[in-house]
Structure formats: C-alpha cells, structure tokens
C-alpha cells in the first residue's frame, strides 16, 4: 500500500504542466470550460474581459503599464470603474450593449482564448453560461495536497485558535474538527445524514446543473457542441436541432476511446524513451557541429583578419543563433515526448481523469483531452527531429576577392540546395518527382532519395537513384502508403545538403487506364471530344439557344453522358481527373452497363430533370433509400463546389454538404466489396463513400450540363496515348 501511495504521489507531481492555467501560468483556481473546450481560471476570464473592455476606452492609459500579480493586466482601478459606469448613451457609442448601469461585470463577451488564440464568444449569459471543470479542479486539489504533503487543513467553525480538521462535509462545503462536527451534525437530525470525506478544500456539487436552466440537471450530451445539456436545452433551447446522446452513452464511448489511446501510448513507452535518447544524441551532435562550424569560421576569418573583423562577429552570431534555435527546438520536442511517458505530463493527467467516476464531469473534460491524446498519438507515429544537426550551410567562402567581402554570406559547400516542386510532383502507381535548382550549371548530377513510411510511422532506410536531369519517375510503389522524397545536388565530389522532404500518399488502388468512349452514348452536338479522347467539353452555346423556346413551356435541358471505354468486372481500381473551374454542372462516378443502357435509350430534352432517366435522378440518386445500394453512384460538381449527397447518418445542412472543389478528383472502386469512394487528390482524402451494386460490368461515368469540361489525368491515359512526334 505504501508503494501505491508513493506511485500516486509521483504521478500527481509529474503532471504539473497539465494543471497550469494558460493565462496566469499558475495552478488552476476554479477553472471554467470555454466554448473551445480549453479551461481557464474564473478570475482570469474576468481579467481578460476587463482588459479587452478597457482597450476600447483607454488604449494609451498609464494603467496599461501596471501589472497584475496573475495576468499582468490592468487592475480595475477607480478610473476603470468610472469607465465601466459610463451612461448608456456613451456606452452605445463604443458598441456596448445589454449591460446594467454601474455594473462591474465586463461588458465585452468576446476575447482570445489563451490556449488556442481563437476568439471565444461567451454569448448573452457571459461567464455564468460556462461549466466549471470539477474534474480538473479535483486533480489540482490532489496535486496541491501532494505538493504541500503534511500541511493541515484547519477547522472552519472553531473559535480561535482553530483546530486541525478531521473531515469535510460535502453538503455544508466546510471542514470540521471532531468536536465541531458533532456540534453541527447532531445525531438524529437531517444534518447527520450529510456526506463527508477526509479534509479537503475542494467542494463540488453532487449533481451538475445546467447553466441555462439552473433547476435542471445535466443528463444528455450534445455531439455538435460537444458539451453536456439538459432535456430543456434539447426540447426548446439552443440544442433543439442538434444531435444528442445519453450521458451514459457519451461517458462509455469517450472513456473507451481515451483508455484505448492511453494504453497505446503506454505500450509505446520504450519507443518514446528510445526517441528521447535519440534527441539527446542529436542535441550533442548539434552542439559539436555548431562548435566545429564556429572554429572553421574563426580560422577563415583569421586569414583576412584586418578586412573581415567586422564580418566575423556577425557570422559567429548567426551560427550561435542557429545553434540556439535548433537546440531550443530539440529541447521543446524532448519535453513534449517526455510528457508521453507513463505517470508523466499528458498521459499522467489523462490517467487521473480516468479516475473520475461522475459521468457528467468526466464527459465535459474528456473530449478535449481525447483530442490532445490523439494528436500526441499522431505525433508519436510521425516522429521526425525538429531540426537538422548539420551546419554545412555555415561554411564561410574565402575564395571571394577582398572587394566582395562586404557581401560575404554562408553557402552550402559551393552547391545550392535544390527545391522539390510540389505542384509538378505527382504520385499514382508511380511517382513523378520534379525539382529546380537555383544555378543549374553548377550541379553535375542529382541523387533522389525516397523511402516508405510505415503505418506506425517507422522510418525505413532511404533508397537512392542518380539523376542527370531535374525530374525522375519512381516505379513500383505500394498502394495506400506514405512516401518521403528528397533530393541533393552534386558538383564533382561536393554534395549539397538534402532538400526539404516532400511526403506524398499513393492512391488506395492501382491506376485504372481508359479513354472517353466516342461511340457509346456520345452526343457530338452537345459535347466536344479532343483527338486524344482524354478531354471533353460541353458546348453550351448556339444549340442550347435554339432549344430555349421549350423552357417557356416547362421543359428542361438534360445531362449529356460520356463514359469510359473500358469496363470493370473485378478488383480494386482508381482513376483521377480535373473538372474545369468554369463548369456549371458536372456529375461524376460509376454506373453499371444495364443502367447506362437505360439512361442512353431515354429521349433527350423531353422531361423534367427530376425524373429524367438520363439525368441520373430516375431512382433519386441523391434522395433514394440508403438501405439498399444502387447500380450507380454519381456526385455533383459545379460552380467550384463539391456537393456531398444527402445521407441519413450525417448532417444534411447545406454548409456541411458543400465543399470547395478539389483541383484533382479521384474515384476508388472496390468491385468485389461493392464500394465506391471520391477523393481529394491534393491531400488523398476521402470526401464521400457509399455502397454500390456491382452485379454487372461497371464503367466510369460522366455527365455535363451547360458550360463545363473534364480532363483525365495523364497516368490514367498513359498506356493508350501513343502518337507520332509530328502529332
């Protein structure tokens, strides 16, 4: 038992970083949970609001130079109280509203959160609408007790001198010695039934009440706002249209996720320790290389001491600044990783939160903590040193003539560092990496390095390939993997430092090559297909105007379809294309051979697009039942937007369904599992995914209405396009 107590004491003392208020840099005192989910002391919120409020009136006040013992912000002096008490007409001239005359409550309700620096709006209720973070407050109290060890808590009811308290009453929110407890909690009375614990200064309510409906207890959790609510908030309050869940369900879900992530971090403790050791070695190496660079610089400057004396000091300062910056980065990174060790920092704090048994208190604290744990997990997976240890960029050039010494600067061993061109670099099954060099004539050749990054972000050894030009195709890359690329230049035996790494994500399946089909369903009156059959445009011009008389009697123009010339009957496939930004309405996706025949047989310009088979709406492609998969899936793109189809499992509000149109769009079809996904190729991110009936041959399908254009990506058409040079 003694060992357990000692471990608990160590755990509490190791998590001090998590218990510091971001505003006052001291231990939390009555912390409140802001809308952004960060916590801040109650007093700090008031001081921040008063400071923001005061800035409207007295930007140049002498009070701005005074310091508060907590935030070092202007204290509410007599002048400030006078300003707060100004007449309503004068307050309105400054943009203040809704506050009572002579109130000392801050009028401003918006201020930047000290934790994330985003503006936080407390709304009409102001501070009174914020939840108190009782879980964090309890942990802080345990930390205080561990820090002061044997410091006694005195009885609140004793006559002077007070006796040491032996218990605290949670109902009375007071601490008592044995005698006072007997006096104020006599046997046989209601007070005798009060709940009491050991001596403490942290008293919290047994039941969390709603800040907006003060007589109602918290019993639900709003998934949209990520905060506990009561049933009145859901019935007719601000959360009436929000998705909520029961408190027990939210408690169980968050606790399971948090426990799982904590177990993962604890299981990786040996990896964290090895990375901390590596950081220590990197810091020592940086220190040595920095000193070596200083010595080399001094040697060069001594040769031209009389001329270079002034430049010498500036160069040494530059090296010291670079060394300090890198060491600071390594130190910060090492401290962050030390926080991931068991019983330390973030993990220790999370373990203390897991001890919370009150569901409401746990939920209001665990969501933000879980996000931080997830970020720590991602950081652990993608471990990379925060700075380079090499000081090769700090070699002094003494070959310049004396008259040029005034412009003396660092250079990279005589060879400039090449830079990878991210816009011209692409990855599919193969990766095309392009780069440019500031002075091409100075480099004889380049070495392109690349390596795969595993699921656990484990760095494998670099593969190298020598290149004479400024681009290279890397073949045989694995699907759905991250690859890192970097390049360095060579001039004879002199090598430049490596360029900044470029990380690219390969598609989830092999590239499916095809061209647009110029025969099946192609309407050359409305569509224009180029000779290579890799680009199609919609002719929204003279022909459309000739048929405009139909619009007067309720008829509508239809979609014009074009499909790929190759079908899919098995396996996983991926293809990509660009939709021109000027396009009005474009539909892209997949469709079965039977469905395409049904669409292409339908008469054009005859019916409303809502029920027209050619439009893809005959079965309600976006409004149909989601329980059974359709033999097609098409999404809408137009006016530089990507429209997510409606779904019963997610929000159908317009702002949640409309996304910016990606520069390049990818489609992934898993024929065997009957699943299709739409990707943002710039970030290889899945924007939308759903089931599709693949009982027949599936084809890439496209449709256009009005002005528009679609261009297939080069790797999609590569094996088909074999033209003579004169073409």
């Amino acid at each position: 038992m003694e060992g357990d107590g000692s471990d608990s004491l160590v755990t509490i003392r190791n998590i001090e970083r998590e218990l510091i208020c971001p505003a006052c840099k001291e231990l939390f005192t009555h912390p409140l949970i802001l809308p952004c989910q960060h916590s801040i002391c109650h007093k700090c919120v008031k001081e921040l609001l008063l400071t923001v409020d005061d800035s409207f009136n007295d930007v140049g006040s002498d009070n701005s130079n005074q310091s508060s013992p907590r935030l070092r912000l202007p204290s509410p002096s007599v002048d400030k109280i006078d300003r707060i008490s100004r007449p309503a007409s004068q307050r309105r001239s400054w943009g203040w509203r809704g506050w009572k005359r002579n109130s000392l409550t801050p009028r401003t309700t918006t201020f930047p959160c000290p934790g994330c620096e985003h503006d936080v709006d407390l709304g009409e209720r102001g501070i009174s609408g914020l939840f108190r973070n009782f879980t964090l407050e309890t942990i802080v109290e345990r930390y205080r007790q561990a820090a002061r060890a044997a410091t006694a808590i005195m009885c609140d009811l004793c006559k002077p001198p007070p006796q040491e308290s032996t218990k605290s009453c949670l109902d009375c929110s007071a601490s008592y010695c044995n005698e006072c407890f007997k006096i104020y909690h006599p046997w046989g009375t209601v007070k005798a039934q009060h709940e009491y614990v050991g001596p403490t200064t942290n008293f919290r309510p047994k039941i969390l009440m709603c800040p907006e409906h003060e007589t109602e207890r918290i019993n639900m959790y709003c998934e949209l706002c990520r905060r506990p609510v009561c049933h009145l908030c859901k019935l007719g309050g601000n959360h009436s249209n929000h998705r909520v869940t029961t408190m027990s369900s939210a408690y169980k879900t968050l606790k399971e996720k948090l426990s799982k992530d904590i177990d993962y971090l604890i299981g990786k403790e040996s990896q964290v320790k090895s990375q901390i050791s590596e950081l220590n070695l990197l810091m020592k190496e940086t220190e040595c290389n920095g000193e070596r660079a200083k010595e080399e610089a001094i040697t060069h400057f001594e040769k031209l001491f009389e001329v270079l004396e002034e430049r010498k000091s500036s160069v040494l300062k530059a090296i010291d600044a670079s060394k300090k910056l890198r060491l600071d980065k390594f130190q910060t990174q090492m401290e962050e990783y030390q926080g991931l060790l068991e019983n330390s920092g973030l993990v220790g704090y999370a373990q203390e939160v897991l001890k919370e048994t009150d569901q409401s208190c746990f939920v209001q604290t665990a969501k933000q903590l879980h996000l931080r744990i997830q970020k720590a997990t991602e950081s652990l997976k993608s471990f990379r040193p925060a700075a380079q240890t090499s000081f090769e960029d700090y070699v002094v050039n003494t070959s310049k003539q004396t008259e040029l010494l005034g412009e003396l600067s660092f250079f990279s061993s005589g060879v400039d560092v090449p830079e990878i061109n991210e816009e011209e670099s692409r990855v599919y099954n193969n990766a095309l990496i392009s780069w440019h060099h500031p002075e091409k004539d100075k480099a004889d050749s380049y070495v392109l390095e690349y390596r795969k990054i595993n699921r656990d972000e484990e760095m494998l050894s670099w593969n190298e390939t020598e290149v004479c030009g400024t681009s290279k195709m890397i073949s045989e890359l694995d699907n759905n993997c991250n690859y890192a690329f970097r390049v360095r230049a060579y001039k004879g035996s002199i090598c430049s430092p490596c360029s900044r790494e470029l990380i690219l994500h390969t598609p989830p399946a092999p590239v499916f090559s095809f061209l647009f089909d110029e025969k099946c369903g192609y309407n050359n009156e409305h569509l224009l297909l180029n000779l290579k059959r890799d680009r199609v445009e919609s002719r929204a011009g003279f022909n459309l105007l000739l048929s405009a008389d139909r619009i007067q009697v309720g008829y509508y123009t239809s979609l014009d379809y074009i499909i790929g010339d190759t079908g899919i009957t098995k396996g996983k496939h991926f293809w990509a294309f660009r939709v021109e930004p000027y396009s009005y309405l474009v539909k892209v996706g997949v469709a079965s051979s039977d469905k395409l025949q049904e669409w292409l047989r339908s008469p054009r310009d005859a019916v409303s697009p809502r029920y027209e088979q050619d439009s893809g709406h005959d079965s309600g492609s976006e409004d149909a039942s989601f329980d059974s998969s359709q033999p097609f899936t098409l999404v809408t793109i137009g006016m530089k937007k990507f429209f997510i189809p409606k779904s019963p499992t997610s929000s159908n509000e317009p702002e949640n369904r409309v996304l910016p149109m990606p520069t390049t769009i990818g489609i992934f079809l898993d024929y065997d599992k009957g699943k299709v996904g739409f990707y943002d190729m710039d970030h290889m991110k899945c924007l939308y995914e759903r089931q599709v009936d693949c009982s027949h041959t599936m084809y890439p399908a496209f449709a256009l209405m009005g002005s528009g254009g679609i261009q297939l990506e080069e790797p999609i058409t590569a094996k088909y396009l074999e033209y003579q040079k004169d073409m």
Side-chain angles (χ1 to χ4, degrees), residues 96-114:
W96 301 329
R97 62 188 184 277
W99 296 97
K100 297 179 180 180
R101 184 189 300 269
N102 297 327
S103 172
L104 293 181
T105 307
R107 292 172 295 274
T108 305
T109 61
T110 301
F111 64 92
C113 169

Side-chain angles (χ1 to χ4, degrees), residues 158-176:
C158 275
K159 295 180 180 180
Q163 300 295 315
E164 182 177 342
S165 64
T166 57
K167 53 179 69 71
S168 296
C169 179
L170 299 181
D171 295 277
C172 301
S173 298
S175 298
Y176 300 88

Side-chain angles (χ1 to χ4, degrees), residues 507-572:
V511 168
F512 178 64
S513 297
F514 65 90
L515 298 174
F516 288 121
D517 195 331
E518 61 182 348
K519 299 177 181 178
C520 182
Y522 172 65
N523 183 357
N524 57 12
E525 293 182 2
H526 295 172
L527 300 178
L528 176 62
L529 188 63
N530 67 351
L531 291 176
K532 294 182 179 181
R533 292 195 288 128
D534 66 341
R535 179 180 177 84
V536 63
E537 294 182 2
S538 176
R539 296 177 174 179
F542 193 70
N543 291 334
L544 182 61
L545 294 176
L546 288 176
S547 61
D549 57 328
R550 296 187 179 185
I551 299 177
Q552 299 175 359
V553 293
Y555 287 88
Y556 301 86
T557 57
S558 65
L559 290 165
D560 293 295
Y561 282 86
I562 188 167
I563 64 174
D565 61 357
T566 306
I568 299 173
T569 57
K570 63 178 180 179
K572 299 179 180 179

Side-chain angles (χ1 to χ4, degrees), residues 281-297 300 315-330 387-397 409-415 417 495-498:
L281 294 175
L282 292 174
M283 290 178 65
K284 292 180 181 178
E285 185 178 351
T286 302
E287 185 78 34
C288 294
N289 289 343
E291 293 301 322
R292 187 180 298 111
K294 286 177 62 177
E295 292 173 1
E296 292 177 358
H300 286 293
V315 169
L316 292 179
K317 290 179 181 179
I319 293 176
D320 283 333
S322 177
K323 181 183 72 173
K324 182 179 183 303
L325 179 61
R326 299 183 196 192
L327 291 173
D328 288 344
K329 289 182 178 180
F330 282 130
Q388 293 184 352
T389 62
S390 172
F391 278 77
E392 294 174 338
D393 293 344
Y394 291 84
V395 177
V396 180
N397 177 16
S409 60
F410 297 111
F411 71 104
S412 307
S413 303
V415 183
V417 181
C495 171
S496 75
C498 290

